PDB file of all heavy atoms in Angstrom:
ATOM      1  N   VAL A   5     113.134 101.429 108.411  1.00  0.00           N
ATOM      2  CA  VAL A   5     114.394 101.897 107.808  1.00  0.00           C
ATOM      3  C   VAL A   5     115.182 100.700 107.268  1.00  0.00           C
ATOM      4  O   VAL A   5     115.726 100.741 106.157  1.00  0.00           O
ATOM      5  CB  VAL A   5     115.230 102.694 108.833  1.00  0.00           C
ATOM      6  CG1 VAL A   5     116.626 102.969 108.308  1.00  0.00           C
ATOM      7  CG2 VAL A   5     114.525 104.000 109.182  1.00  0.00           C
ATOM      8  N   LYS A   6     115.217  99.624 108.024  1.00  0.00           N
ATOM      9  CA  LYS A   6     115.926  98.421 107.600  1.00  0.00           C
ATOM     10  C   LYS A   6     115.292  97.841 106.330  1.00  0.00           C
ATOM     11  O   LYS A   6     115.992  97.473 105.390  1.00  0.00           O
ATOM     12  CB  LYS A   6     115.903  97.385 108.730  1.00  0.00           C
ATOM     13  CG  LYS A   6     116.727  96.155 108.461  1.00  0.00           C
ATOM     14  CD  LYS A   6     116.742  95.242 109.676  1.00  0.00           C
ATOM     15  CE  LYS A   6     117.557  94.005 109.398  1.00  0.00           C
ATOM     16  NZ  LYS A   6     117.604  93.108 110.559  1.00  0.00           N
ATOM     17  N   LEU A   7     113.960  97.774 106.309  1.00  0.00           N
ATOM     18  CA  LEU A   7     113.256  97.273 105.126  1.00  0.00           C
ATOM     19  C   LEU A   7     113.563  98.138 103.912  1.00  0.00           C
ATOM     20  O   LEU A   7     113.859  97.629 102.825  1.00  0.00           O
ATOM     21  CB  LEU A   7     111.751  97.241 105.392  1.00  0.00           C
ATOM     22  CG  LEU A   7     110.858  96.679 104.311  1.00  0.00           C
ATOM     23  CD1 LEU A   7     109.585  96.115 104.932  1.00  0.00           C
ATOM     24  CD2 LEU A   7     110.496  97.684 103.255  1.00  0.00           C
ATOM     25  N   LEU A   8     113.497  99.446 104.084  1.00  0.00           N
ATOM     26  CA  LEU A   8     113.768 100.383 102.988  1.00  0.00           C
ATOM     27  C   LEU A   8     115.186 100.196 102.458  1.00  0.00           C
ATOM     28  O   LEU A   8     115.395 100.107 101.239  1.00  0.00           O
ATOM     29  CB  LEU A   8     113.568 101.825 103.469  1.00  0.00           C
ATOM     30  CG  LEU A   8     113.862 102.931 102.466  1.00  0.00           C
ATOM     31  CD1 LEU A   8     112.946 102.836 101.255  1.00  0.00           C
ATOM     32  CD2 LEU A   8     113.725 104.291 103.132  1.00  0.00           C
ATOM     33  N   ASP A   9     116.143 100.101 103.341  1.00  0.00           N
ATOM     34  CA  ASP A   9     117.525  99.950 102.919  1.00  0.00           C
ATOM     35  C   ASP A   9     117.748  98.615 102.210  1.00  0.00           C
ATOM     36  O   ASP A   9     118.437  98.548 101.194  1.00  0.00           O
ATOM     37  CB  ASP A   9     118.462 100.087 104.116  1.00  0.00           C
ATOM     38  CG  ASP A   9     119.908 100.217 103.689  1.00  0.00           C
ATOM     39  OD1 ASP A   9     120.190 101.057 102.798  1.00  0.00           O
ATOM     40  OD2 ASP A   9     120.749  99.484 104.230  1.00  0.00           O
ATOM     41  N   PHE A  10     117.164  97.551 102.746  1.00  0.00           N
ATOM     42  CA  PHE A  10     117.319  96.233 102.142  1.00  0.00           C
ATOM     43  C   PHE A  10     116.688  96.197 100.751  1.00  0.00           C
ATOM     44  O   PHE A  10     117.278  95.685  99.794  1.00  0.00           O
ATOM     45  CB  PHE A  10     116.704  95.166 103.051  1.00  0.00           C
ATOM     46  CG  PHE A  10     117.010  93.771 102.619  1.00  0.00           C
ATOM     47  CD1 PHE A  10     118.291  93.259 102.744  1.00  0.00           C
ATOM     48  CD2 PHE A  10     116.023  92.965 102.090  1.00  0.00           C
ATOM     49  CE1 PHE A  10     118.590  91.963 102.337  1.00  0.00           C
ATOM     50  CE2 PHE A  10     116.308  91.671 101.685  1.00  0.00           C
ATOM     51  CZ  PHE A  10     117.588  91.167 101.806  1.00  0.00           C
ATOM     52  N   ALA A  11     115.475  96.751 100.619  1.00  0.00           N
ATOM     53  CA  ALA A  11     114.794  96.773  99.316  1.00  0.00           C
ATOM     54  C   ALA A  11     115.573  97.631  98.314  1.00  0.00           C
ATOM     55  O   ALA A  11     115.710  97.260  97.143  1.00  0.00           O
ATOM     56  CB  ALA A  11     113.368  97.301  99.485  1.00  0.00           C
ATOM     57  N   ARG A  12     116.089  98.759  98.770  1.00  0.00           N
ATOM     58  CA  ARG A  12     116.880  99.640  97.895  1.00  0.00           C
ATOM     59  C   ARG A  12     118.115  98.906  97.394  1.00  0.00           C
ATOM     60  O   ARG A  12     118.437  98.938  96.202  1.00  0.00           O
ATOM     61  CB  ARG A  12     117.276 100.910  98.659  1.00  0.00           C
ATOM     62  CG  ARG A  12     117.972 101.957  97.829  1.00  0.00           C
ATOM     63  CD  ARG A  12     118.379 103.160  98.665  1.00  0.00           C
ATOM     64  NE  ARG A  12     119.049 102.831  99.908  1.00  0.00           N
ATOM     65  CZ  ARG A  12     120.320 102.399  99.985  1.00  0.00           C
ATOM     66  NH1 ARG A  12     121.032 102.235  98.898  1.00  0.00           N
ATOM     67  NH2 ARG A  12     120.866 102.140 101.157  1.00  0.00           N
ATOM     68  N   SER A  13     118.792  98.199  98.279  1.00  0.00           N
ATOM     69  CA  SER A  13     119.989  97.445  97.918  1.00  0.00           C
ATOM     70  C   SER A  13     119.662  96.309  96.950  1.00  0.00           C
ATOM     71  O   SER A  13     120.378  96.082  95.973  1.00  0.00           O
ATOM     72  CB  SER A  13     120.629  96.887  99.192  1.00  0.00           C
ATOM     73  OG  SER A  13     121.706  96.051  98.867  1.00  0.00           O
ATOM     74  N   GLU A  14     118.561  95.616  97.213  1.00  0.00           N
ATOM     75  CA  GLU A  14     118.166  94.509  96.343  1.00  0.00           C
ATOM     76  C   GLU A  14     117.818  94.991  94.937  1.00  0.00           C
ATOM     77  O   GLU A  14     118.194  94.368  93.946  1.00  0.00           O
ATOM     78  CB  GLU A  14     116.986  93.762  96.945  1.00  0.00           C
ATOM     79  CG  GLU A  14     116.656  92.480  96.215  1.00  0.00           C
ATOM     80  CD  GLU A  14     115.626  91.648  96.942  1.00  0.00           C
ATOM     81  OE1 GLU A  14     115.608  91.636  98.178  1.00  0.00           O
ATOM     82  OE2 GLU A  14     114.833  90.996  96.244  1.00  0.00           O
ATOM     83  N   LEU A  15     117.115  96.106  94.837  1.00  0.00           N
ATOM     84  CA  LEU A  15     116.775  96.636  93.517  1.00  0.00           C
ATOM     85  C   LEU A  15     118.039  97.081  92.789  1.00  0.00           C
ATOM     86  O   LEU A  15     118.179  96.857  91.587  1.00  0.00           O
ATOM     87  CB  LEU A  15     115.793  97.807  93.632  1.00  0.00           C
ATOM     88  CG  LEU A  15     115.288  98.359  92.304  1.00  0.00           C
ATOM     89  CD1 LEU A  15     114.475  97.315  91.548  1.00  0.00           C
ATOM     90  CD2 LEU A  15     114.456  99.611  92.527  1.00  0.00           C
ATOM     91  N   ALA A  16     118.968  97.684  93.500  1.00  0.00           N
ATOM     92  CA  ALA A  16     120.222  98.128  92.878  1.00  0.00           C
ATOM     93  C   ALA A  16     121.030  96.950  92.344  1.00  0.00           C
ATOM     94  O   ALA A  16     121.785  97.100  91.375  1.00  0.00           O
ATOM     95  CB  ALA A  16     121.054  98.923  93.880  1.00  0.00           C
ATOM     96  N   ASP A  17     120.865  95.774  92.951  1.00  0.00           N
ATOM     97  CA  ASP A  17     121.593  94.583  92.504  1.00  0.00           C
ATOM     98  C   ASP A  17     120.944  93.892  91.303  1.00  0.00           C
ATOM     99  O   ASP A  17     121.553  93.021  90.692  1.00  0.00           O
ATOM    100  CB  ASP A  17     121.719  93.562  93.646  1.00  0.00           C
ATOM    101  CG  ASP A  17     122.687  94.026  94.724  1.00  0.00           C
ATOM    102  OD1 ASP A  17     123.491  94.945  94.447  1.00  0.00           O
ATOM    103  OD2 ASP A  17     122.629  93.473  95.837  1.00  0.00           O
ATOM    104  N   LYS A  18     119.712  94.260  90.981  1.00  0.00           N
ATOM    105  CA  LYS A  18     119.042  93.641  89.840  1.00  0.00           C
ATOM    106  C   LYS A  18     119.678  94.135  88.541  1.00  0.00           C
ATOM    107  O   LYS A  18     120.007  95.304  88.415  1.00  0.00           O
ATOM    108  CB  LYS A  18     117.550  93.974  89.824  1.00  0.00           C
ATOM    109  CG  LYS A  18     116.741  93.160  90.798  1.00  0.00           C
ATOM    110  CD  LYS A  18     115.276  93.314  90.483  1.00  0.00           C
ATOM    111  CE  LYS A  18     114.437  92.390  91.291  1.00  0.00           C
ATOM    112  NZ  LYS A  18     114.654  90.981  91.038  1.00  0.00           N
ATOM    113  N   GLU A  19     119.821  93.232  87.608  1.00  0.00           N
ATOM    114  CA  GLU A  19     120.395  93.600  86.319  1.00  0.00           C
ATOM    115  C   GLU A  19     119.265  93.723  85.295  1.00  0.00           C
ATOM    116  O   GLU A  19     118.579  92.755  85.000  1.00  0.00           O
ATOM    117  CB  GLU A  19     121.390  92.536  85.852  1.00  0.00           C
ATOM    118  CG  GLU A  19     122.135  92.945  84.609  1.00  0.00           C
ATOM    119  CD  GLU A  19     123.222  91.952  84.254  1.00  0.00           C
ATOM    120  OE1 GLU A  19     123.842  91.389  85.175  1.00  0.00           O
ATOM    121  OE2 GLU A  19     123.430  91.741  83.055  1.00  0.00           O
ATOM    122  N   PHE A  20     119.081  94.930  84.819  1.00  0.00           N
ATOM    123  CA  PHE A  20     118.065  95.181  83.804  1.00  0.00           C
ATOM    124  C   PHE A  20     118.754  95.253  82.453  1.00  0.00           C
ATOM    125  O   PHE A  20     119.767  95.934  82.301  1.00  0.00           O
ATOM    126  CB  PHE A  20     117.329  96.500  84.075  1.00  0.00           C
ATOM    127  CG  PHE A  20     116.439  96.425  85.278  1.00  0.00           C
ATOM    128  CD1 PHE A  20     116.903  96.799  86.523  1.00  0.00           C
ATOM    129  CD2 PHE A  20     115.140  95.971  85.162  1.00  0.00           C
ATOM    130  CE1 PHE A  20     116.095  96.727  87.636  1.00  0.00           C
ATOM    131  CE2 PHE A  20     114.315  95.899  86.270  1.00  0.00           C
ATOM    132  CZ  PHE A  20     114.798  96.272  87.505  1.00  0.00           C
ATOM    133  N   LYS A  21     118.189  94.547  81.499  1.00  0.00           N
ATOM    134  CA  LYS A  21     118.758  94.553  80.149  1.00  0.00           C
ATOM    135  C   LYS A  21     117.718  95.067  79.171  1.00  0.00           C
ATOM    136  O   LYS A  21     116.520  94.859  79.348  1.00  0.00           O
ATOM    137  CB  LYS A  21     119.195  93.149  79.746  1.00  0.00           C
ATOM    138  CG  LYS A  21     120.351  92.635  80.577  1.00  0.00           C
ATOM    139  CD  LYS A  21     120.827  91.308  80.072  1.00  0.00           C
ATOM    140  CE  LYS A  21     122.037  90.862  80.873  1.00  0.00           C
ATOM    141  NZ  LYS A  21     122.578  89.612  80.374  1.00  0.00           N
ATOM    142  N   LEU A  22     118.219  95.726  78.147  1.00  0.00           N
ATOM    143  CA  LEU A  22     117.337  96.196  77.088  1.00  0.00           C
ATOM    144  C   LEU A  22     116.893  94.999  76.254  1.00  0.00           C
ATOM    145  O   LEU A  22     117.704  94.143  75.893  1.00  0.00           O
ATOM    146  CB  LEU A  22     118.055  97.226  76.217  1.00  0.00           C
ATOM    147  CG  LEU A  22     118.483  98.489  76.962  1.00  0.00           C
ATOM    148  CD1 LEU A  22     119.303  99.389  76.059  1.00  0.00           C
ATOM    149  CD2 LEU A  22     117.269  99.226  77.490  1.00  0.00           C
ATOM    150  N   ARG A  23     115.621  94.943  75.956  1.00  0.00           N
ATOM    151  CA  ARG A  23     115.080  93.789  75.234  1.00  0.00           C
ATOM    152  C   ARG A  23     115.636  93.654  73.826  1.00  0.00           C
ATOM    153  O   ARG A  23     115.925  92.561  73.369  1.00  0.00           O
ATOM    154  CB  ARG A  23     113.563  93.871  75.170  1.00  0.00           C
ATOM    155  CG  ARG A  23     112.931  93.706  76.517  1.00  0.00           C
ATOM    156  CD  ARG A  23     111.450  93.794  76.430  1.00  0.00           C
ATOM    157  NE  ARG A  23     110.952  94.124  77.758  1.00  0.00           N
ATOM    158  CZ  ARG A  23     109.719  94.134  78.091  1.00  0.00           C
ATOM    159  NH1 ARG A  23     108.798  93.840  77.217  1.00  0.00           N
ATOM    160  NH2 ARG A  23     109.351  94.442  79.318  1.00  0.00           N
ATOM    161  N   GLU A  24     115.791  94.783  73.151  1.00  0.00           N
ATOM    162  CA  GLU A  24     116.218  94.734  71.749  1.00  0.00           C
ATOM    163  C   GLU A  24     117.656  94.244  71.597  1.00  0.00           C
ATOM    164  O   GLU A  24     117.981  93.475  70.711  1.00  0.00           O
ATOM    165  CB  GLU A  24     116.146  96.089  71.046  1.00  0.00           C
ATOM    166  CG  GLU A  24     115.066  97.075  71.322  1.00  0.00           C
ATOM    167  CD  GLU A  24     115.035  97.713  72.693  1.00  0.00           C
ATOM    168  OE1 GLU A  24     115.927  98.505  73.066  1.00  0.00           O
ATOM    169  OE2 GLU A  24     114.067  97.429  73.400  1.00  0.00           O
ATOM    170  N   THR A  25     118.533  94.711  72.480  1.00  0.00           N
ATOM    171  CA  THR A  25     119.955  94.432  72.317  1.00  0.00           C
ATOM    172  C   THR A  25     120.524  93.530  73.412  1.00  0.00           C
ATOM    173  O   THR A  25     121.654  93.077  73.293  1.00  0.00           O
ATOM    174  CB  THR A  25     120.751  95.755  72.340  1.00  0.00           C
ATOM    175  OG1 THR A  25     120.559  96.381  73.610  1.00  0.00           O
ATOM    176  CG2 THR A  25     120.324  96.672  71.217  1.00  0.00           C
ATOM    177  N   ASP A  26     119.770  93.292  74.441  1.00  0.00           N
ATOM    178  CA  ASP A  26     120.206  92.506  75.588  1.00  0.00           C
ATOM    179  C   ASP A  26     121.392  93.161  76.315  1.00  0.00           C
ATOM    180  O   ASP A  26     122.110  92.512  77.057  1.00  0.00           O
ATOM    181  CB  ASP A  26     120.546  91.065  75.174  1.00  0.00           C
ATOM    182  CG  ASP A  26     120.354  90.087  76.326  1.00  0.00           C
ATOM    183  OD1 ASP A  26     119.433  90.307  77.141  1.00  0.00           O
ATOM    184  OD2 ASP A  26     121.144  89.133  76.420  1.00  0.00           O
ATOM    185  N   GLU A  27     121.595  94.451  76.070  1.00  0.00           N
ATOM    186  CA  GLU A  27     122.665  95.184  76.748  1.00  0.00           C
ATOM    187  C   GLU A  27     122.193  95.612  78.134  1.00  0.00           C
ATOM    188  O   GLU A  27     121.006  95.887  78.338  1.00  0.00           O
ATOM    189  CB  GLU A  27     123.023  96.448  75.955  1.00  0.00           C
ATOM    190  CG  GLU A  27     123.665  96.171  74.614  1.00  0.00           C
ATOM    191  CD  GLU A  27     123.935  97.468  73.848  1.00  0.00           C
ATOM    192  OE1 GLU A  27     124.211  98.493  74.501  1.00  0.00           O
ATOM    193  OE2 GLU A  27     123.858  97.424  72.621  1.00  0.00           O
ATOM    194  N   PRO A  28     123.119  95.692  79.089  1.00  0.00           N
ATOM    195  CA  PRO A  28     122.728  96.172  80.420  1.00  0.00           C
ATOM    196  C   PRO A  28     122.207  97.604  80.343  1.00  0.00           C
ATOM    197  O   PRO A  28     122.739  98.435  79.607  1.00  0.00           O
ATOM    198  CB  PRO A  28     124.020  96.109  81.222  1.00  0.00           C
ATOM    199  CG  PRO A  28     124.935  95.222  80.459  1.00  0.00           C
ATOM    200  CD  PRO A  28     124.516  95.307  79.021  1.00  0.00           C
ATOM    201  N   MET A  29     121.164  97.878  81.081  1.00  0.00           N
ATOM    202  CA  MET A  29     120.564  99.200  81.063  1.00  0.00           C
ATOM    203  C   MET A  29     121.246 100.128  82.063  1.00  0.00           C
ATOM    204  O   MET A  29     121.201 101.333  81.926  1.00  0.00           O
ATOM    205  CB  MET A  29     119.075  99.091  81.390  1.00  0.00           C
ATOM    206  CG  MET A  29     118.327 100.384  81.176  1.00  0.00           C
ATOM    207  SD  MET A  29     116.590 100.183  81.461  1.00  0.00           S
ATOM    208  CE  MET A  29     116.539 100.321  83.214  1.00  0.00           C
ATOM    209  N   GLY A  30     121.841  99.589  83.063  1.00  0.00           N
ATOM    210  CA  GLY A  30     122.426 100.420  84.103  1.00  0.00           C
ATOM    211  C   GLY A  30     121.711 100.210  85.416  1.00  0.00           C
ATOM    212  O   GLY A  30     120.721  99.488  85.513  1.00  0.00           O
ATOM    213  N   LEU A  31     122.223 100.839  86.438  1.00  0.00           N
ATOM    214  CA  LEU A  31     121.673 100.652  87.770  1.00  0.00           C
ATOM    215  C   LEU A  31     120.339 101.364  87.936  1.00  0.00           C
ATOM    216  O   LEU A  31     120.128 102.454  87.409  1.00  0.00           O
ATOM    217  CB  LEU A  31     122.653 101.182  88.814  1.00  0.00           C
ATOM    218  CG  LEU A  31     123.981 100.451  88.933  1.00  0.00           C
ATOM    219  CD1 LEU A  31     124.866 101.143  89.963  1.00  0.00           C
ATOM    220  CD2 LEU A  31     123.765  98.988  89.305  1.00  0.00           C
ATOM    221  N   ILE A  32     119.478 100.730  88.697  1.00  0.00           N
ATOM    222  CA  ILE A  32     118.197 101.334  89.075  1.00  0.00           C
ATOM    223  C   ILE A  32     118.272 101.582  90.571  1.00  0.00           C
ATOM    224  O   ILE A  32     118.662 100.709  91.342  1.00  0.00           O
ATOM    225  CB  ILE A  32     117.021 100.373  88.771  1.00  0.00           C
ATOM    226  CG1 ILE A  32     117.007  99.972  87.294  1.00  0.00           C
ATOM    227  CG2 ILE A  32     115.702 100.993  89.202  1.00  0.00           C
ATOM    228  CD1 ILE A  32     116.798 101.110  86.344  1.00  0.00           C
ATOM    229  N   SER A  33     117.896 102.763  90.976  1.00  0.00           N
ATOM    230  CA  SER A  33     117.918 103.076  92.404  1.00  0.00           C
ATOM    231  C   SER A  33     116.634 103.802  92.776  1.00  0.00           C
ATOM    232  O   SER A  33     115.930 104.323  91.919  1.00  0.00           O
ATOM    233  CB  SER A  33     119.136 103.943  92.740  1.00  0.00           C
ATOM    234  OG  SER A  33     119.066 105.179  92.065  1.00  0.00           O
ATOM    235  N   PHE A  34     116.352 103.786  94.061  1.00  0.00           N
ATOM    236  CA  PHE A  34     115.249 104.610  94.539  1.00  0.00           C
ATOM    237  C   PHE A  34     115.628 105.248  95.858  1.00  0.00           C
ATOM    238  O   PHE A  34     116.510 104.779  96.570  1.00  0.00           O
ATOM    239  CB  PHE A  34     113.926 103.851  94.626  1.00  0.00           C
ATOM    240  CG  PHE A  34     113.851 102.740  95.640  1.00  0.00           C
ATOM    241  CD1 PHE A  34     113.587 102.997  96.968  1.00  0.00           C
ATOM    242  CD2 PHE A  34     113.985 101.422  95.242  1.00  0.00           C
ATOM    243  CE1 PHE A  34     113.479 101.984  97.893  1.00  0.00           C
ATOM    244  CE2 PHE A  34     113.869 100.393  96.147  1.00  0.00           C
ATOM    245  CZ  PHE A  34     113.615 100.677  97.486  1.00  0.00           C
ATOM    246  N   SER A  35     114.970 106.351  96.122  1.00  0.00           N
ATOM    247  CA  SER A  35     115.182 107.096  97.354  1.00  0.00           C
ATOM    248  C   SER A  35     113.918 106.987  98.177  1.00  0.00           C
ATOM    249  O   SER A  35     112.826 106.824  97.636  1.00  0.00           O
ATOM    250  CB  SER A  35     115.444 108.566  97.047  1.00  0.00           C
ATOM    251  OG  SER A  35     116.543 108.688  96.177  1.00  0.00           O
ATOM    252  N   GLY A  36     114.076 107.064  99.482  1.00  0.00           N
ATOM    253  CA  GLY A  36     112.893 106.948 100.315  1.00  0.00           C
ATOM    254  C   GLY A  36     113.073 107.585 101.669  1.00  0.00           C
ATOM    255  O   GLY A  36     114.174 107.963 102.057  1.00  0.00           O
ATOM    256  N   GLY A  37     111.967 107.688 102.356  1.00  0.00           N
ATOM    257  CA  GLY A  37     111.964 108.239 103.697  1.00  0.00           C
ATOM    258  C   GLY A  37     110.999 107.477 104.572  1.00  0.00           C
ATOM    259  O   GLY A  37     110.082 106.814 104.078  1.00  0.00           O
ATOM    260  N   VAL A  38     111.199 107.587 105.865  1.00  0.00           N
ATOM    261  CA  VAL A  38     110.365 106.910 106.852  1.00  0.00           C
ATOM    262  C   VAL A  38     109.862 107.950 107.841  1.00  0.00           C
ATOM    263  O   VAL A  38     110.609 108.846 108.248  1.00  0.00           O
ATOM    264  CB  VAL A  38     111.172 105.824 107.606  1.00  0.00           C
ATOM    265  CG1 VAL A  38     110.347 105.212 108.726  1.00  0.00           C
ATOM    266  CG2 VAL A  38     111.667 104.758 106.648  1.00  0.00           C
ATOM    267  N   ALA A  39     108.605 107.822 108.220  1.00  0.00           N
ATOM    268  CA  ALA A  39     108.035 108.687 109.254  1.00  0.00           C
ATOM    269  C   ALA A  39     107.034 107.875 110.058  1.00  0.00           C
ATOM    270  O   ALA A  39     106.536 106.852 109.595  1.00  0.00           O
ATOM    271  CB  ALA A  39     107.351 109.901 108.630  1.00  0.00           C
ATOM    272  N   LEU A  40     106.751 108.334 111.257  1.00  0.00           N
ATOM    273  CA  LEU A  40     105.727 107.706 112.080  1.00  0.00           C
ATOM    274  C   LEU A  40     104.460 108.538 112.014  1.00  0.00           C
ATOM    275  O   LEU A  40     104.500 109.759 112.190  1.00  0.00           O
ATOM    276  CB  LEU A  40     106.190 107.583 113.538  1.00  0.00           C
ATOM    277  CG  LEU A  40     107.300 106.587 113.813  1.00  0.00           C
ATOM    278  CD1 LEU A  40     107.643 106.584 115.299  1.00  0.00           C
ATOM    279  CD2 LEU A  40     106.928 105.199 113.345  1.00  0.00           C
ATOM    280  N   ALA A  41     103.349 107.872 111.733  1.00  0.00           N
ATOM    281  CA  ALA A  41     102.035 108.510 111.740  1.00  0.00           C
ATOM    282  C   ALA A  41     101.407 108.170 113.090  1.00  0.00           C
ATOM    283  O   ALA A  41     101.200 107.004 113.405  1.00  0.00           O
ATOM    284  CB  ALA A  41     101.183 107.995 110.589  1.00  0.00           C
ATOM    285  N   THR A  42     101.128 109.182 113.877  1.00  0.00           N
ATOM    286  CA  THR A  42     100.682 108.952 115.247  1.00  0.00           C
ATOM    287  C   THR A  42      99.174 108.931 115.409  1.00  0.00           C
ATOM    288  O   THR A  42      98.676 108.776 116.510  1.00  0.00           O
ATOM    289  CB  THR A  42     101.278 110.019 116.172  1.00  0.00           C
ATOM    290  OG1 THR A  42     100.906 111.308 115.677  1.00  0.00           O
ATOM    291  CG2 THR A  42     102.778 109.897 116.247  1.00  0.00           C
ATOM    292  N   GLY A  43      98.444 109.083 114.333  1.00  0.00           N
ATOM    293  CA  GLY A  43      96.986 108.978 114.412  1.00  0.00           C
ATOM    294  C   GLY A  43      96.288 110.272 114.094  1.00  0.00           C
ATOM    295  O   GLY A  43      96.808 111.352 114.304  1.00  0.00           O
ATOM    296  N   GLY A  44      95.101 110.134 113.555  1.00  0.00           N
ATOM    297  CA  GLY A  44      94.312 111.281 113.145  1.00  0.00           C
ATOM    298  C   GLY A  44      94.668 111.687 111.732  1.00  0.00           C
ATOM    299  O   GLY A  44      95.821 111.562 111.312  1.00  0.00           O
ATOM    300  N   ALA A  45      93.687 112.149 110.999  1.00  0.00           N
ATOM    301  CA  ALA A  45      93.868 112.462 109.581  1.00  0.00           C
ATOM    302  C   ALA A  45      94.951 113.511 109.342  1.00  0.00           C
ATOM    303  O   ALA A  45      95.788 113.358 108.453  1.00  0.00           O
ATOM    304  CB  ALA A  45      92.542 112.919 108.968  1.00  0.00           C
ATOM    305  N   GLU A  46      94.953 114.590 110.149  1.00  0.00           N
ATOM    306  CA  GLU A  46      95.946 115.652 109.944  1.00  0.00           C
ATOM    307  C   GLU A  46      97.359 115.175 110.259  1.00  0.00           C
ATOM    308  O   GLU A  46      98.310 115.450 109.520  1.00  0.00           O
ATOM    309  CB  GLU A  46      95.604 116.867 110.799  1.00  0.00           C
ATOM    310  CG  GLU A  46      94.399 117.637 110.277  1.00  0.00           C
ATOM    311  CD  GLU A  46      94.085 118.859 111.119  1.00  0.00           C
ATOM    312  OE1 GLU A  46      95.031 119.465 111.677  1.00  0.00           O
ATOM    313  OE2 GLU A  46      92.893 119.217 111.215  1.00  0.00           O
ATOM    314  N   ALA A  47      97.507 114.426 111.348  1.00  0.00           N
ATOM    315  CA  ALA A  47      98.831 113.901 111.717  1.00  0.00           C
ATOM    316  C   ALA A  47      99.316 112.904 110.684  1.00  0.00           C
ATOM    317  O   ALA A  47     100.498 112.884 110.328  1.00  0.00           O
ATOM    318  CB  ALA A  47      98.770 113.261 113.108  1.00  0.00           C
ATOM    319  N   ASN A  48      98.417 112.059 110.192  1.00  0.00           N
ATOM    320  CA  ASN A  48      98.812 111.084 109.172  1.00  0.00           C
ATOM    321  C   ASN A  48      99.223 111.783 107.879  1.00  0.00           C
ATOM    322  O   ASN A  48     100.211 111.387 107.258  1.00  0.00           O
ATOM    323  CB  ASN A  48      97.683 110.087 108.913  1.00  0.00           C
ATOM    324  CG  ASN A  48      97.471 109.142 110.074  1.00  0.00           C
ATOM    325  OD1 ASN A  48      98.321 109.014 110.948  1.00  0.00           O
ATOM    326  ND2 ASN A  48      96.330 108.473 110.078  1.00  0.00           N
ATOM    327  N   ALA A  49      98.501 112.818 107.478  1.00  0.00           N
ATOM    328  CA  ALA A  49      98.861 113.564 106.270  1.00  0.00           C
ATOM    329  C   ALA A  49     100.224 114.223 106.435  1.00  0.00           C
ATOM    330  O   ALA A  49     101.055 114.223 105.514  1.00  0.00           O
ATOM    331  CB  ALA A  49      97.791 114.598 105.953  1.00  0.00           C
ATOM    332  N   ALA A  50     100.474 114.775 107.615  1.00  0.00           N
ATOM    333  CA  ALA A  50     101.791 115.393 107.872  1.00  0.00           C
ATOM    334  C   ALA A  50     102.893 114.351 107.826  1.00  0.00           C
ATOM    335  O   ALA A  50     103.978 114.608 107.306  1.00  0.00           O
ATOM    336  CB  ALA A  50     101.772 116.096 109.234  1.00  0.00           C
ATOM    337  N   SER A  51     102.629 113.162 108.354  1.00  0.00           N
ATOM    338  CA  SER A  51     103.624 112.093 108.326  1.00  0.00           C
ATOM    339  C   SER A  51     103.912 111.624 106.900  1.00  0.00           C
ATOM    340  O   SER A  51     105.053 111.342 106.573  1.00  0.00           O
ATOM    341  CB  SER A  51     103.147 110.910 109.170  1.00  0.00           C
ATOM    342  OG  SER A  51     103.038 111.297 110.514  1.00  0.00           O
TER     343      SER A  51
END
C-alpha cells in the first residue's frame, strides 16, 4: 500500500508537456488496489 501510494504521488508530480507546443498536458494519475495471494492457482486468480 505504501509503495502504491508513493508511486501514485510521484507520477502525479511529474510534469508532462506536449511536444509540439511545450504546454503542460495536465496531471496524470493512476488508481490501484492491493490484495494478498495466499497460494494456489484459484486463490491467486481471485486475489
Side-chain angles (χ1 to χ4, degrees):
V5 170
K6 186 175 179 179
L7 183 153
L8 178 62
D9 192 49
F10 189 71
R12 186 182 48 74
S13 174
E14 189 171 326
L15 185 64
D17 289 343
K18 282 193 172 296
E19 187 174 325
F20 290 93
K21 294 185 177 183
L22 298 174
R23 292 180 201 188
E24 324 67 68
T25 62
D26 207 34
E27 293 177 32
M29 189 176 82
L31 295 177
I32 303 297
S33 63
F34 66 82
S35 303
V38 174
L40 290 180
T42 56
E46 287 181 32
N48 290 344
S51 296

